[in-house]
Amino acid sequence: MVTLAPDHPLRDGRTVDAPLLRAARGDRPAHRPVWFMRQAGRSLPEYRELRRNVAMLDACLDPALAAEITLQPVRRHGVDAAVFFSDIVVPPLLAGVGVRIVEGRGPVFDRPVRTRDDVRALPPLHADALQPIRETVGIVAAELGDVPVIGFGGAPFTLASYLVEGGPSKDQQRARAMMHADPEAWSALMTWCADVTTAFLQSQIAGGASVVQLFDSWAGSLSRADYERSVLPFSQRILTAVEPLGAPRIHFGLGTAGFLDLVADAGAEVIGVDWRLPLDEAARLVPGHPLQGNIDTALLAAPREVLHAHVADVLRRGDAAPAHIVNLGHGVPPDTDPGVLTDLVEVVHAAE
Amino acid sequence: MVTLAPDHPLRDGRTVDAPLLRAARGDRPAHRPVWFMRQAGRSLPEYRELRRNVAMLDACLDPALAAEITLQPVRRHGVDAAVFFSDIVVPPLLAGVGVRIVEGRGPVFDRPVRTRDDVRALPPLHADALQPIRETVGIVAAELGDVPVIGFGGAPFTLASYLVEGGPSKDQQRARAMMHADPEAWSALMTWCADVTTAFLQSQIAGGASVVQLFDSWAGSLSRADYERSVLPFSQRILTAVEPLGAPRIHFGLGTAGFLDLVADAGAEVIGVDWRLPLDEAARLVPGHPLQGNIDTALLAAPREVLHAHVADVLRRGDAAPAHIVNLGHGVPPDTDPGVLTDLVEVVHAAE
């Protein structure tokens, strides 16, 4: 049973009036909160410096280092939240599944999970393995005071796709094949993914996160029917399990325009939207939900006036939602000029 | 000015009653026509044998070899059409642009096209360079008699994305950046792409193709507004230019559910649909259009009864369109068991 310490930001009230928390509750704070998915990472020279001789997953599991990386973009850009620096495969790794991150390719598992026996062999994730996670978030939360830390976890479909494919893939063919060919194995795998990610998110909240985001990178390869039947129940399982801890939940997927209402059905308060769906249309699809998004990352390289006109349009359309957490429509591309992001934060904070 | 010889299949009537041509006109032939995107290629052992010591683009430009590769799946599977074996980058290659296909990665250009000067430097495509294309299609059409050959071309957005990025990319960030940052350069590049692909398709029709398909692999990274403003007019330019030759036009894109009506506005008779959008819903989005698709390639690896139930569902939903050309929702995955495809053709031909 995960409980929050009396000095947790959600219990002592430190972050309760932060613009991000207010927007997540559907209020309209004095300025719109803004943060960037993947704000900690390769776009920052100070990150590249720290990571010079450290493998990605080693960095994720070194509390002092991961905390420093998590803090870097808050210091540099003045964003309204830190987002825990980690990776979707950290929960399987901590459960004992063999995985490494290959430069320029992504996570690669030693043994893809393809059969019922493979699924059955997946080890449980023990709470004590999550100690470095709690510790990292604890360092960040203590450092930031009233600026909230966002916990991060991969949605079961995206994590299961990596496990089945053995690494990144186009269209997640093998994972979607298992979904149809062996629904029982699929269900067992998705339950395992949901449960390790639940534990991962709970440990981040216990450590001091005030908000969590569930991230479904590959949802866009699914039809609406497949999402509803074979994915939604497992994302719901995570969001329901973390609800009692009281941290508002953000749910973001790429390519979810065709089933955004189902994404909302999974239970999160805030719905993240990618760059393809205008926020005013998203607001019609999921009425009552605060929205997060959705500046097109392709525009980050455009001339300043083109980018600013686009941001103004995003803010205007975001007014159609009860509240708007400004973000990109996708993670920060590694070659982004960090100055452009710092400038964006100023622009958003100065907006009406 | 491209004209058709008197013995062209579209003039001597050889292919006029082929199920594919009848369905493309909106009729209901005695059986539903079926073919598979990327049916010629790596899933066939006889293809892998032929390609053993030949580079991809060399194979595309050797008329005897390319014709044989094009014919292989028709002989093996008994599909209702051949589709010209080629690559989206053949038109730039024939115009003199440096490009090669890197195994396991895709097309890679010697020099990405990033600036106005880069666009201005793109060479024109001379008609005589297209001689091997006409010749290949001529061999195939002569061999097949009343079985139609489908011509193939890449839509301007997909081709421009490869040129700007310099190769395959996720989300086509650089191409979409140019679209917004320098609309003039973008328009010039898209016009060039449209014009070389028009010449490519015209040469295939002149050679003996009875139908053409325009293929927009990356359209799904676009918002509806970007598609409408910066992409549609250029796809339209191709489809309008080839219209007078009288070959029915199929227009297929991946991830186009959010703007399928705009895809239809580009002018093709037949609209291709990927696996994510059920055909009955597509029929509501583009009323009056014959539809092509959309068996989920992930199901090709599922048990026979699961695949067959899916195919029955696709056929049932396809009844909502005036006519239905059966296909996959995407290209044949290289690891597909070819026996599964042969079996599918039988199942479709035996269906009510």
Side-chain angles (χ1 to χ4, degrees):
Chain A
M1 191 47 205
V2 179
T3 52
L4 304 188
D7 64 343
H8 189 283
L10 288 171
R11 289 191 66 187
D12 71 13
R14 252 182 296 160
T15 57
V16 70
D17 284 325
L20 180 76
L21 273 281
R22 291 198 50 199
R25 290 195 301 265
D27 290 351
R28 303 225 177 195
H31 71 252
R32 295 193 210 214
V34 53
W35 67 282
F36 305 115
M37 292 185 280
R38 234 184 282 152
Q39 63 189 16
R42 280 187 289 164
S43 67
L44 299 184
E46 59 270 34
Y47 167 83
R48 296 193 298 269
E49 181 62 31
L50 276 185
R51 274 284 316 281
R52 266 218 282 197
N53 297 305
V54 189
M56 172 65 185
L57 293 175
D58 291 342
C60 290
L61 296 179
D62 177 331
L65 186 56
E68 176 58 22
I69 292 172
T70 302
L71 287 162
Q72 283 176 341
V74 186
R75 288 195 204 110
R76 183 191 264 262
H77 301 310
V79 282
D80 291 281
V83 57
F84 176 51
F85 175 78
S86 193
D87 192 275
I88 183 172
V89 301
V90 165
L93 176 73
L94 293 177
V97 174
V99 60
R100 61 197 194 287
I101 306 241
V102 177
E103 205 60 39
R105 186 164 166 222
V108 175
F109 286 89
D110 296 350
R111 263 192 66 197
V113 176
R114 299 267 164 91
T115 66
R116 286 182 194 206
D117 285 343
D118 293 342
V119 175
R120 256 191 296 263
L122 287 168
L125 172 54
H126 295 293
D128 48 353
L130 290 159
Q131 178 49 31
I133 307 304
R134 276 189 298 275
E135 193 179 331
T136 308
V137 179
I139 298 170
V140 177
E143 178 83 19
L144 287 181
D146 58 1
V147 174
V149 188
I150 302 171
F152 156 91
F157 175 65
T158 295
L159 181 54
S161 295
Y162 279 114
L163 283 158
V164 175
E165 306 277 349
S169 64
K170 236 174 90 177
D171 305 328
Q172 294 71 55
Q173 295 268 353
R174 283 204 184 85
R176 295 191 299 108
M178 186 199 271
M179 177 188 295
H180 291 279
D182 192 344
E184 217 175 291
W186 178 254
S187 170
L189 173 59
M190 289 288 279
T191 302
W192 186 85
C193 289
D195 291 348
V196 297
T197 299
T198 296
F200 185 52
L201 288 172
Q202 286 172 331
S203 72
Q204 294 172 58
I205 300 173
S210 296
V211 175
V212 289
Q213 168 156 312
L214 194 66
F215 189 103
D216 211 350
S217 308
W218 304 126
S221 71
L222 295 162
S223 67
R224 182 179 170 92
D226 283 350
Y227 184 82
E228 184 163 27
R229 187 182 46 234
S230 309
V231 172
L232 168 58
F234 305 95
S235 295
Q236 207 159 32
R237 183 179 171 99
I238 298 174
L239 292 165
T240 304
V242 300
E243 184 176 20
L245 294 175
R249 298 155 296 168
I250 306 170
H251 191 179
F252 173 74
L254 284 161
T256 55
F259 47 84
L260 202 69
D261 54 322
L262 297 177
V263 173
D265 285 349
E269 288 80 8
V270 182
I271 304 302
V273 179
D274 83 13
W275 71 96
R276 283 168 283 212
L277 182 69
L279 291 180
D280 48 343
E281 289 180 34
R284 278 194 291 277
L285 295 173
V286 293
H289 285 276
L291 296 179
Q292 176 176 283
N294 69 349
I295 296 166
D296 188 344
T297 52
L299 276 287
L300 296 175
R304 201 164 183 269
E305 66 277 12
V306 175
L307 172 59
H308 285 200
H310 171 62
V311 172
D313 185 60
V314 167
L315 298 183
R316 190 179 54 74
R317 293 177 189 270
D319 279 335
H324 180 198
I325 297 168
V326 180
N327 207 315
L328 306 175
H330 194 351
V332 174
D335 60 354
T336 302
D337 171 0
V340 170
L341 297 179
T342 309
D343 185 47
L344 265 189
V345 173
E346 278 174 37
V347 168
V348 171
H349 284 170
E352 291 291 290
Chain B
M1 189 51 200
V2 178
T3 52
L4 305 188
D7 64 344
H8 189 283
L10 288 171
R11 288 193 65 188
D12 71 13
R14 251 182 297 162
T15 57
V16 70
D17 285 325
L20 181 76
L21 273 282
R22 292 196 51 198
R25 290 194 301 266
D27 289 351
R28 302 230 177 188
H31 70 252
R32 295 192 210 213
V34 52
W35 67 283
F36 304 116
M37 293 185 279
R38 235 184 281 152
Q39 62 188 16
R42 281 187 289 165
S43 67
L44 300 183
E46 58 269 35
Y47 167 84
R48 295 194 297 267
E49 180 62 31
L50 278 184
R51 274 284 316 283
R52 267 217 282 195
N53 296 305
V54 190
M56 171 67 186
L57 293 175
D58 291 342
C60 290
L61 296 178
D62 176 331
L65 186 57
E68 175 58 22
I69 292 173
T70 302
L71 287 162
Q72 284 176 341
V74 186
R75 290 196 203 110
R76 180 192 266 264
H77 301 311
V79 282
D80 291 281
V83 57
F84 177 51
F85 175 77
S86 193
D87 193 275
I88 183 172
V89 301
V90 165
L93 176 74
L94 293 177
V97 174
V99 60
R100 61 195 194 288
I101 305 237
V102 176
E103 205 60 40
R105 186 165 166 221
V108 175
F109 285 89
D110 296 350
R111 262 193 65 198
V113 176
R114 300 268 165 90
T115 66
R116 286 183 194 205
D117 286 343
D118 294 341
V119 176
R120 256 191 296 265
L122 287 168
L125 172 54
H126 296 294
D128 48 352
L130 291 160
Q131 178 50 30
I133 307 304
R134 277 189 297 276
E135 195 180 330
T136 308
V137 179
I139 298 170
V140 177
E143 178 84 18
L144 288 182
D146 58 0
V147 173
V149 188
I150 303 171
F152 156 90
F157 175 65
T158 295
L159 182 54
S161 295
Y162 278 115
L163 284 158
V164 175
E165 307 276 349
S169 64
K170 237 175 88 177
D171 305 328
Q172 294 71 56
Q173 295 267 352
R174 283 205 185 84
R176 297 190 297 108
M178 187 200 271
M179 177 187 293
H180 290 279
D182 192 344
E184 218 174 292
W186 178 252
S187 171
L189 172 61
M190 289 289 278
T191 302
W192 185 87
C193 290
D195 291 348
V196 297
T197 298
T198 296
F200 185 53
L201 288 172
Q202 285 171 332
S203 72
Q204 293 172 60
I205 301 174
S210 296
V211 175
V212 288
Q213 168 157 313
L214 194 67
F215 189 104
D216 211 350
S217 309
W218 303 128
S221 71
L222 295 162
S223 67
R224 184 180 168 91
D226 283 349
Y227 185 82
E228 183 162 28
R229 187 183 44 233
S230 308
V231 172
L232 169 58
F234 304 95
S235 295
Q236 206 160 34
R237 183 178 171 100
I238 297 175
L239 292 166
T240 304
V242 301
E243 184 176 20
L245 294 174
R249 298 155 296 169
I250 306 170
H251 191 179
F252 173 73
L254 285 161
T256 55
F259 47 85
L260 202 70
D261 54 319
L262 299 176
V263 173
D265 285 348
E269 288 81 8
V270 182
I271 303 303
V273 179
D274 82 14
W275 71 94
R276 283 167 282 211
L277 183 68
L279 290 180
D280 50 343
E281 288 181 35
R284 278 196 289 278
L285 294 173
V286 294
H289 285 275
L291 296 180
Q292 176 176 283
N294 69 346
I295 297 167
D296 188 343
T297 52
L299 276 287
L300 297 176
R304 201 162 182 269
E305 66 277 11
V306 175
L307 172 59
H308 285 201
H310 171 62
V311 172
D313 185 60
V314 168
L315 297 183
R316 190 178 57 73
R317 293 178 188 269
D319 279 335
H324 179 197
I325 298 168
V326 181
N327 208 315
L328 306 176
H330 194 353
V332 174
D335 60 354
T336 301
D337 172 0
V340 170
L341 298 179
T342 308
D343 185 48
L344 264 191
V345 173
E346 278 174 37
V347 168
V348 171
H349 284 170
E352 292 291 291

